[in-house]
Amino acid sequence: MSDYNTIKSLLDSLEVSYYSPFILQGGITMNRVYSAMEEVGLAAKLADLKEEHYRNTLALSTIIELLIEKNILTREEVEKKAAELDSFMESSPYPMV
């Protein structure tokens, strides 16, 4: 039996579930029942997202450093553009409900 099947059968036999409140935009609280297997699945998805985020950040950092090393861009130009884009993101162009 694979590790996954072993864990799944163990968790299924426990019949564990609990309410997990979460807050939606505007402060509305909702309750959701999560089984142990759903919790494991969510943790796995989060780990995948973290890995993808790391790889994307590494790729962008590498490209920026190479552009600076080749004198295509200066560090000041990159910092100025980053600040400009960051200030744009601070004020959402979409209405908040």
Side-chain angles (χ1 to χ4, degrees), residues 56-71:
N56 287 336
T57 302
L58 180 62
L60 286 171
S61 297
T62 302
I63 291 168
I64 290 168
E65 288 301 319
L66 286 171
L67 290 170
I68 291 170
E69 285 177 12
K70 295 177 181 280
N71 294 318

Side-chain angles (χ1 to χ4, degrees), residues 3-93:
D3 290 339
Y4 173 81
N5 289 334
T6 303
I7 293 170
K8 183 178 183 329
S9 64
L10 175 63
L11 292 175
D12 287 344
S13 69
L14 294 174
E15 296 179 16
V16 175
S17 64
Y18 61 91
Y19 284 98
S20 177
F22 60 94
I23 299 173
L24 299 175
Q25 187 174 0
I28 300 169
T29 303
M30 305 266 311
N31 287 324
R32 167 81 166 94
V33 177
Y34 286 96
S35 71
M37 279 309 295
E38 286 176 314
E39 196 70 24
V40 170
L42 289 172
K45 287 179 183 179
L46 180 59
D48 291 344
L49 287 172
K50 285 182 176 181
E51 178 68 22
E52 186 176 340
H53 175 71
Y54 168 76
R55 293 195 181 282
N56 287 336
T57 302
L58 180 62
L60 286 171
S61 297
T62 302
I63 291 168
I64 290 168
E65 288 301 319
L66 286 171
L67 290 170
I68 291 170
E69 285 177 12
K70 295 177 181 280
N71 294 318
I72 296 171
L73 294 173
T74 65
R75 190 166 303 280
E76 291 76 24
E77 289 173 320
V78 173
E79 290 171 357
K80 181 180 175 186
K81 182 54 83 173
E84 179 184 324
L85 294 174
D86 189 44
S87 69
F88 172 75
M89 292 305 293
E90 285 176 2
S91 59
S92 176

